[in-house]
Amino acid sequence: MHTLNVALGHRSYPIHIGAGLLGRSDLLLPHIHGRQVLVVSNETVAPLYLDALIGALSGYHVATCILPDGESFKDLQHLDRIFTCLLEQRFNRDCTLIALGGGVVGDMTGFAAAAYQRGVDFIQVPTTLLAQVDSSVGGKTGVNHALGKNMIGVFKQPNVVLIDTDVLTTLPARELKAGLAEVIKYGLIRDLPFLAWLEQNIPGLLAGDASLLAEAIRQSCENKAAVVAADELEKSDLRALLNLGHTFGHAIETGMGYGAWLHGEAVATGMLMAADLSMRLGWLSADDVLRVRTLLVRAGLPVDPPQMAVEEFLQHMSVDKKVKEGRLRLVLLQALGHAVVSEAPPELLCATLSAGSALGVLK
Ligand SMILES: NC(=O)c1ccc[n+]([C@@H]2O[C@H](COP(=O)([O-])OP(=O)(O)OC[C@H]3O[C@@H](n4cnc5c(N)ncnc54)[C@H](O)[C@@H]3O)[C@@H](O)[C@H]2O)c1
């Protein structure tokens, strides 16, 4: 087992990564302060892993809240179900919420924990690769709005993140690939040696090699923890760098309807769009963009944007959280392994948005 630390002063917390951690009460119980525990999961994950988790909570008053599965249910209406469960059980302020699931369950549970009686404890037990390498660490929580992805939410750090790598054996291949998009992101924004390691090991990762996956998770979480420790609340642009590909990606997710493209798939295409725009700005070479494209394709990820009008892209992108004083700011690459937040000339942005399958090709 590896243990990392997210260094946030008195709110610091451990990330435990290893096989067979789901039933480890010695890792969970030190972070539960009252007797009441609500496990939030969904109808796909609960039948697989709820019993193992509850087995680690004997002696506690454990209730469960099982949500429908899918990004399209990550909204205020379904968030309310968690509050209903808490109130029906008469849970008080020293209760603990545990998120058992992917990023959807984690984002919703964290938001509910932040809001219930003005804030109760919460624990992340992520079960997708994407949630293990990204969404369970760092405290961003929230739900979608019909007019914008992740637009309603708060920062709320968990007490501990328990990453059991065994649960990845039941994850559908498409979801594993979507998680790899966020893994590749760390290499692109700040860790060139990790990018090279991924290029070498992508076949093993896709094949589900447990030790390679554990190593990818460890390196990803190390990168994420370092960024979060330096800029927890995204006050500077540092934490925003984790959003490489997300402004384009969120536009794809919102435009296509939540759930049509997986979040990681939209981020993958979005990262190639960011690389393309970085090339148009003269920062990346065509070879660099090809290197990004090749790795994404080898990871089984989509790289061609959907057919969406430039105006529609721009409309969805205009509600991005990085917009300042009405001006769109994007995460771009000054070099592979070095991301920056920058504005881009509208004509270059439009060229990227209309490039379609010719991303990376200067016309
Ligand atoms: N908070 C953050 O910092 C942050 C960062 C990145 C992404 N996100 C959010 O995370 C969400 C995407 O997360 P996701 O990719 O985990 O999607 P998800 O939560 O929808 O999970 C993907 C699918 O896998 C299933 N699943 C989960 N674990 C499984 C397992 N072990 N075996 C079999 N099936 C399993 C789920 O039921 C679901 O059908 C998006 O809403 C995105 O906005 C948040």
Side-chain angles (χ1 to χ4, degrees):
M1 181 178 86
H2 284 288
T3 298
L4 308 173
N5 181 46
V6 184
L8 292 170
H10 69 283
R11 288 175 299 105
S12 298
Y13 55 92
I15 307 170
H16 300 299
I17 306 165
L21 302 194
L22 207 55
R24 287 276 299 268
S25 50
D26 57 321
L27 301 177
L28 268 180
L29 302 191
H31 302 280
I32 299 177
H33 301 113
R35 307 307 297 171
Q36 299 171 324
V37 179
L38 180 74
V39 182
V40 182
S41 191
N42 74 22
E43 57 203 11
T44 303
V45 177
L48 296 169
Y49 300 114
L50 190 59
D51 285 351
L53 182 66
I54 289 180
L57 296 167
S58 71
Y60 288 75
H61 172 189
V62 182
T64 56
C65 176
I66 309 302
L67 300 170
D69 183 3
E71 182 76 33
S72 58
F73 302 109
K74 184 179 156 182
D75 57 17
L76 283 169
Q77 189 193 336
H78 291 86
L79 182 73
D80 191 51
R81 289 214 194 166
I82 305 178
F83 298 129
T84 303
C85 289
L86 287 162
L87 288 164
E88 278 174 355
Q89 296 287 327
R90 306 270 185 276
F91 271 23
N92 53 41
R93 292 193 72 184
D94 63 4
C95 71
T96 299
L97 271 59
I98 302 183
L100 174 69
V104 169
V105 166
D107 281 10
M108 293 176 76
T109 308
F111 191 10
Y116 186 64
Q117 300 197 8
R118 301 200 180 83
V120 298
D121 286 342
F122 118 96
I123 289 173
Q124 288 273 18
V125 184
T127 63
T128 61
L129 180 62
L130 186 141
Q132 296 185 343
V133 299
D134 194 355
S135 62
S136 65
V137 175
K140 279 192 181 178
T141 74
V143 294
N144 301 327
H145 188 280
L147 298 180
K149 167 95 181 142
N150 289 340
M151 277 294 139
I152 322 289
V154 293
F155 285 98
K156 167 76 178 171
Q157 299 294 343
N159 293 10
V160 60
V161 181
L162 198 62
I163 299 178
D164 185 342
T165 51
D166 283 347
V167 303
L168 298 179
T169 53
T170 55
L171 193 65
R174 186 178 169 198
E175 299 289 351
L176 189 81
K177 292 173 193 165
L180 285 174
E182 301 277 15
V183 174
I184 291 168
K185 176 188 77 181
Y186 295 111
L188 291 174
I189 61 171
R190 70 191 302 275
D191 194 343
L192 205 49
F194 186 39
L195 190 73
W197 184 89
L198 288 168
E199 287 172 324
Q200 261 186 352
N201 290 296
I202 209 77
L205 291 164
L206 283 171
D209 180 307
S211 63
L212 289 178
L213 282 168
E215 178 60 13
I217 294 164
R218 187 185 66 76
Q219 296 214 40
S220 299
C221 287
E222 254 173 22
N223 273 296
K224 177 110 191 216
V227 172
V228 169
D231 180 19
E232 181 189 4
L233 303 178
E234 211 162 308
K235 293 285 187 211
S236 71
D237 283 339
L238 186 58
R239 183 163 181 167
L241 301 181
L242 294 168
N243 265 317
L244 177 69
H246 284 59
T247 305
F248 297 108
H250 286 166
I252 294 173
E253 284 185 86
T254 310
M256 293 294 107
Y258 297 127
W261 281 55
L262 299 184
H263 176 71
E265 293 172 342
V267 166
T269 300
M271 290 194 298
L272 188 63
M273 296 174 85
D276 176 277
L277 183 50
S278 304
M279 178 189 71
R280 292 174 197 277
L281 282 158
W283 294 345
L284 292 190
S285 67
D287 280 350
D288 289 332
V289 183
L290 182 62
R291 188 173 165 190
V292 177
R293 184 186 188 99
T294 303
L295 181 56
L296 294 170
V297 169
R298 288 178 68 215
L301 288 159
V303 289
D304 293 337
Q307 294 216 323
M308 199 158 89
V310 170
E311 293 69 32
E312 192 182 347
F313 257 114
L314 289 173
Q315 190 196 325
H316 293 309
M317 291 168 79
S318 69
V319 294
D320 188 86
K321 291 189 277 303
K322 287 181 293 303
V323 169
K324 254 192 196 161
E325 291 159 11
R327 295 150 82 112
L328 180 61
R329 298 154 72 247
L330 293 156
V331 184
L332 298 170
L333 295 169
Q334 274 195 336
L336 295 184
H338 181 52
V340 292
V341 176
S342 171
E343 292 182 28
E347 65 280 9
L348 297 188
L349 176 58
C350 288
T352 293
L353 293 176
S354 55
S357 58
L359 283 175
V361 181
L362 277 178
K363 283 200 196 113

